[in-house]
Amino acid sequence: MSEKKQIQVPVMADLASRGETPEVLFWVGCAGAFDDRYKNVTRAFVRILEHVGTKYAVLGMEETCTGDPAKRAGNEFLFQMQAMTNIATLDGYGIKTIVTACPHCFNTIKNEYPALGGNYEVIHHSTFLQNLINEGKVKIAGGGEFKGKRITFHDSCYLGRANNIYEAPREVLAALDADLVEMKRSRANGLCCGAGGAQMWKEPEPGNKDINVERAEEAIGTGATIIASACPFCMTMMADGVKSQNKEDSVQVFDIAELIAQAEGINA
Amino acid sequence: MISNIAFLIVAVLGIGLFVWQIRKIVRNINMGRDKEISGNVSERIKLLLLVAFGQQKMFKRPLPAVLHLFVYVGFIVINVEVIEILIDGIFGTHRVLGVLGPVYSVLMAINEVLALLVIIACVIFLARRTLTKVPRLTRGSEMRAWPKLDANVILITEIVLMFALFAFNIADQKLAQLSGHDLPGVFPVSGPLMNVFGSDVNTLQVIAGVGWWAHILGILAFMNYLPSSKHFHIITSFPNVYYTKLEPKGQFSNVESITHEIKAMLDPAYVVPPAPEGADPQKFGAKDVEDLTWKQLLDSYTCTECGRCTSVCPANITGKLLSPRKIVMDTRDRMEEKGESPLIFNPAHYNEESERVKVTEERTLLRGYVTPEELWACTTCNACVESCPVNINQLSTIIDLRRYLVLEESAAPTSLNTMFNNIENNGAPWAFSPSDRFNWADDLFVVSKN
């Protein structure tokens, strides 16, 4: 017997006023909060957190950009302003552990905040999901609806090369019992989606081709019907790339959290 | 006796000239900013053994890796012979290391096999550059006349040096046979060729002499060619790998002066530590070579111009102007232009403007060599850094140049300025109201399984 349950997403300020502390702070990120497509990933991840009973909270309206795009674009001043503001908020609540679905937020908070005084255990949602599967908290009976489907994983530069996380998202996908295929350029040799380094917010420089088109062609070339990603920028770029090849009807782009929530049957 | 003195003079001059050139290069690298890179000695030594001595990253592409390994191991082993030549040359001895007996035999045998492999490898390398024209080695706006010629000069010199060695070994063996005395050593390659030069003692003596002198003079000349050449990596790759950035690749450097400014802004009681006395006020980011760190400058003296970085660069693959290799080579060229001309050949003249990369009159690294268009094409994906066999960090230079554009010149592309404004005003890179940030959680349901 299953039923639909409404979720009241716990907000840090409320928890603090009740003197409670969560196990993890879910850092939603700007894409997770504002991008219509990526909001589904945020919701899928929250469903998983609810489903497994993790005590979590979000900052809600108190969250603000980590400063990643400013830093990569060279605006160190703006980056540090953002970073110090966020560190003040996080430290104010005594946050110890942060989980986020965005590799850019993950990289910045994990690697660049410590030099400015912000020290937290930061986990990317791929690692978090991998742990849930390993601990048996998420068990996809019989692989669910993705069993046998051809899926290819597109490495995010800021997860992979930047932080050496290659296996966690693949192990998450392995739980789906799907037919995983690798692109020729994968893991440490993966090709960027074209959005990192603040490219997301500008037109590409003149060239022969857009990077996301090159990458989407490679992904489509594997014969996969699903391109799995673990990064909001990658998701947007790959979806646009697939559209540029008029393949949006046959090839879909999903975040690993969406695939797990879907396979686990907890999407409402 | 005369030849001993002549040898000594040549050797001293050759080595002295080399030291003189190295001093100039060290001075050039010291134009860069100080940066303390220390600690993690065991991790650094591990990297040194794996990446520099062990050539680990070369093996991403097996064929050139194996060929390069022949040349590299050949170079190391042949140094034993160079030591012998130096001793023989100075003291007029003949195959002085022969006293090592069986050890010498093994060394000579390995030496000859490797010398043959070096010739084979160099011939294949030449073919890859001139016949099959491997794109990463031949294409790109930075691969102009000098870098291409340089590579061929190195390969041909190595082949000539090996042939000189074989000529000496062949003639020396034949002379020993004719005079009826034993020659120390085992010669698996030149041994079977003992009769190719005939049996005339005078001719054989000339050939042995020419081979011997050509080999040592060639080595001394080649050594002095190194500072003008990408081949200098045989020296600099070792320190360069040792001083590799050990932090995660995604962790970009922190501009400390800005941290002080912001802390002072947020907290009026914060005291900014005084700058060291006599230090120039530091620019934000890098405009020219002296704004880069010594490690970034050492990087550019270590570049082998192999183009692996550029061949994996997503911007370059899709036809944009950015080539990480060009940024590194530009840094070296600018350093040599700005510092003392360190080279005896002064061959760095490949600066003529290419059709696509238009540079300005301003002779600084930024704009004089590297254009903003190249810099803004970078996705900071770290593919270049990952691919470099000698652990150059191309991305750190790109980011420092971008920082100068943004922080000193406010010269970011318009759309990036819009993004900056959005972050400042709305706390997000997109123009959304902060009050909508939590809307995603409205009407959120989960299917709960009982």
Side-chain angles (χ1 to χ4, degrees):
Chain A
M1 184 64 205
S2 61
E3 61 182 67
K4 251 169 104 169
K5 188 184 91 180
Q6 182 153 19
I7 305 171
Q8 292 299 327
V9 178
V11 181
M12 202 50 232
D14 298 340
L15 257 72
S17 68
R18 296 199 298 267
E20 294 174 31
T21 42
E23 285 169 52
V24 290
L25 179 87
F26 173 31
W27 185 275
V28 176
C30 300
F34 292 118
D35 182 291
D36 280 338
R37 174 70 189 84
Y38 212 70
K39 279 190 224 171
N40 289 339
V41 179
T42 307
R43 294 191 191 105
F45 189 63
V46 164
R47 287 188 184 108
I48 295 169
L49 291 170
E50 291 279 339
H51 176 61
V52 300
T54 304
K55 200 159 186 280
Y56 73 101
V58 298
L59 285 175
M61 282 192 256
E62 277 190 280
E63 196 183 283
T64 166
C65 175
T66 59
D68 159 83
K71 180 148 187 130
R72 311 303 130 186
N75 195 337
E76 183 72 10
F77 202 90
L78 180 56
F79 161 73
Q80 291 199 13
M81 285 294 289
Q82 289 300 120
M84 293 206 201
T85 310
N86 284 321
I87 290 168
T89 308
L90 291 165
D91 287 351
Y93 289 124
I95 301 293
K96 301 272 184 293
T97 310
I98 298 171
V99 63
T100 178
C102 176
H104 295 265
C105 298
F106 165 74
N107 175 70
T108 302
I109 302 175
K110 177 175 182 281
N111 295 322
E112 287 165 355
Y113 280 20
L116 302 170
N119 293 289
Y120 319 98
E121 186 196 0
V122 192
I123 309 167
H124 185 254
H125 81 323
S126 55
T127 310
F128 192 85
L129 291 171
Q130 183 201 358
N131 290 339
L132 291 180
I133 291 164
N134 290 350
E135 291 163 9
K137 289 186 181 160
V138 169
K139 31 184 177 290
I140 297 146
E145 62 191 271
F146 299 106
K147 190 180 166 87
K149 281 213 174 157
R150 195 166 254 246
I151 300 182
T152 190
F153 177 68
H154 162 75
D155 284 283
S156 146
C157 306
Y158 274 82
L159 204 55
R161 274 190 295 269
N163 287 291
N164 283 317
I165 298 178
Y166 299 111
E167 299 313 320
R170 288 180 168 79
E171 286 190 28
V172 171
L173 291 172
L176 299 173
D177 212 5
D179 173 18
L180 292 182
V181 281
E182 290 289 347
M183 287 182 257
K184 197 174 160 220
R185 290 175 284 202
S186 66
R187 291 192 171 86
N189 301 320
L191 185 79
C192 177
C193 70
Q199 299 291 339
M200 187 81 190
W201 291 274
K202 61 184 264 300
E203 286 301 312
E205 318 306 315
N208 317 324
K209 201 191 235 184
D210 285 346
I211 295 169
N212 63 328
V213 173
E214 167 88 9
R215 187 56 166 169
E217 283 172 355
E218 190 177 2
I220 293 167
T222 63
T225 54
I226 292 172
I227 301 170
S229 66
C231 168
F233 299 176
C234 295
M235 170 170 270
T236 303
M237 297 306 269
M238 295 307 283
D240 285 353
V242 168
K243 211 173 278 177
S244 77
Q245 304 300 298
N246 297 315
K247 292 278 187 195
E248 66 268 32
D249 293 333
S250 52
V251 180
Q252 289 172 289
V253 185
F254 286 114
D255 186 271
I256 55 171
E258 291 179 304
L259 294 172
I260 292 296
Q262 184 76 22
E264 188 73 348
I266 54 175
N267 271 353
Chain B
M1 191 61 193
I2 287 173
S3 77
N4 298 358
I5 293 168
F7 180 86
L8 199 62
I9 291 170
V10 168
V12 168
L13 281 180
I15 293 166
L17 184 60
F18 181 66
V19 172
W20 177 73
Q21 292 191 79
I22 295 292
R23 280 171 51 100
K24 291 196 166 192
I25 284 183
V26 170
R27 275 200 286 257
N28 278 353
I29 291 174
N30 280 333
M31 278 196 289
R33 286 196 292 111
D34 289 343
K35 183 189 183 186
E36 199 181 311
I37 305 176
S38 59
N40 299 299
V41 174
S42 60
E43 198 178 343
R44 293 182 186 283
I45 289 175
K46 197 175 129 201
L47 270 180
L48 186 67
L49 292 176
L50 279 175
V51 176
F53 284 100
Q55 317 263 296
Q56 186 191 39
K57 289 174 89 177
M58 286 294 287
F59 280 88
K60 283 196 165 190
R61 304 190 193 212
L63 172 73
V66 170
L67 297 174
H68 183 269
L69 192 68
F70 292 157
V71 180
Y72 161 71
V73 178
F75 163 72
I76 288 175
V77 175
I78 278 164
N79 279 319
V80 178
E81 177 132 11
V82 176
I83 292 168
E84 180 176 62
I85 289 178
L86 287 175
I87 300 172
D88 283 351
I90 294 166
F91 299 105
T93 49
H94 181 239
R95 292 195 183 267
V96 67
L97 295 182
V99 298
L100 297 171
V103 177
Y104 186 75
S105 297
V106 172
L107 278 175
M108 283 302 111
I110 294 175
N111 215 350
E112 282 223 326
V113 172
L114 281 169
L116 181 65
L117 290 174
V118 168
I119 292 174
I120 294 169
C122 288
V123 168
I124 298 175
F125 280 148
L126 272 174
R128 278 162 60 84
R129 284 177 181 273
T130 51
L131 300 177
T132 59
K133 293 194 193 294
V134 173
R136 72 181 159 90
L137 301 174
T138 46
R139 276 191 226 148
S141 65
E142 66 275 25
M143 295 312 283
R144 296 179 196 138
W146 167 249
K148 284 191 204 169
L149 178 67
D150 180 28
N152 292 341
V153 167
I154 295 161
L155 293 169
I156 291 167
T157 309
E158 284 174 358
I159 292 170
V160 169
L161 285 175
M162 294 307 110
F163 272 110
L165 179 68
F166 281 129
F168 168 65
N169 281 350
I170 291 169
D172 203 23
Q173 285 170 82
K174 188 69 184 172
L175 283 168
Q177 190 193 50
L178 291 174
S179 65
H181 65 257
D182 276 343
L183 191 68
V186 171
F187 303 91
V189 178
S190 61
L193 301 171
M194 220 199 307
N195 295 316
V196 293
F197 295 136
S199 302
D200 181 67
V201 174
N202 287 336
T203 313
L204 287 169
Q205 276 172 343
V206 169
I207 291 171
V210 168
W212 190 89
W213 275 97
H215 189 65
I216 189 62
L217 288 178
I219 285 173
L220 288 172
F222 200 37
M223 188 167 82
N224 278 293
Y225 177 76
L226 294 183
S228 314
S229 159
K230 79 192 191 83
H231 210 51
F232 198 53
H233 77 271
I234 66 171
I235 293 167
T236 44
S237 22
F238 299 95
N240 204 61
V241 168
Y242 183 82
Y243 289 110
T244 300
K245 170 188 167 192
L246 298 177
E247 295 86 22
K249 288 195 184 69
Q251 181 180 339
F252 289 12
S253 67
N254 187 30
V255 181
E256 228 173 280
S257 51
I258 291 180
T259 313
H260 294 313
E261 264 186 61
I262 294 178
K263 281 189 176 160
M265 245 168 66
L266 296 176
D267 174 12
Y270 181 79
V271 184
V272 177
E277 230 170 281
D280 293 331
Q282 200 189 306
K283 296 186 195 91
F284 294 131
K287 183 187 194 185
D288 212 342
V289 283
E290 70 270 14
D291 307 323
L292 295 170
T293 67
W294 64 267
K295 174 60 170 70
Q296 288 165 317
L297 300 183
L298 176 64
D299 272 352
S300 70
Y301 268 119
T302 310
C303 179
T304 67
E305 300 166 14
C306 69
R308 289 170 187 236
C309 53
T310 293
S311 75
V312 296
C313 172
N316 193 277
I317 287 170
T318 55
K320 287 144 189 94
L321 271 190
L322 174 63
S323 162
R325 170 176 58 187
K326 176 177 175 291
I327 310 260
V328 176
M329 289 168 71
D330 284 344
T331 305
R332 176 175 161 148
D333 283 358
R334 173 59 183 157
M335 203 172 15
E336 294 183 347
E337 182 184 67
K338 188 153 198 187
E340 331 165 58
S341 173
L343 310 167
I344 47 175
F345 299 103
N346 198 15
H349 299 307
Y350 73 104
N351 302 329
E352 76 269 23
E353 267 182 40
S354 84
E355 276 176 39
R356 287 200 63 201
V357 187
K358 295 281 182 230
V359 299
T360 62
E361 287 300 304
E362 199 184 355
R363 299 306 298 173
T364 52
L365 179 60
L366 180 63
R367 295 217 163 83
Y369 287 79
V370 181
T371 59
E373 184 181 335
E374 293 163 69
L375 298 171
W376 290 119
C378 176
T379 69
T380 72
C381 76
N382 264 305
C384 52
V385 180
E386 178 75 37
S387 71
C388 181
V390 291
N391 284 5
I392 289 170
N393 193 328
Q394 300 88 339
L395 184 50
S396 70
T397 302
I398 293 174
I399 286 298
D400 280 341
L401 292 168
R402 271 191 183 181
R403 281 176 179 163
Y404 186 86
L405 284 173
V406 171
L407 297 170
E408 297 273 356
E409 295 187 347
S410 301
T414 319
S415 48
L416 288 187
N417 281 329
T418 307
M419 180 264 284
F420 296 151
N421 286 334
N422 286 334
I423 292 180
E424 247 182 287
N425 300 326
N426 307 329
W430 294 284
F432 291 111
S433 164
S435 59
D436 292 338
R437 189 176 266 277
F438 199 34
N439 290 357
W440 60 268
D442 295 345
D443 299 322
L444 174 53
F445 291 89
V446 64
V447 174
S448 71
K449 294 178 180 173
N450 298 324

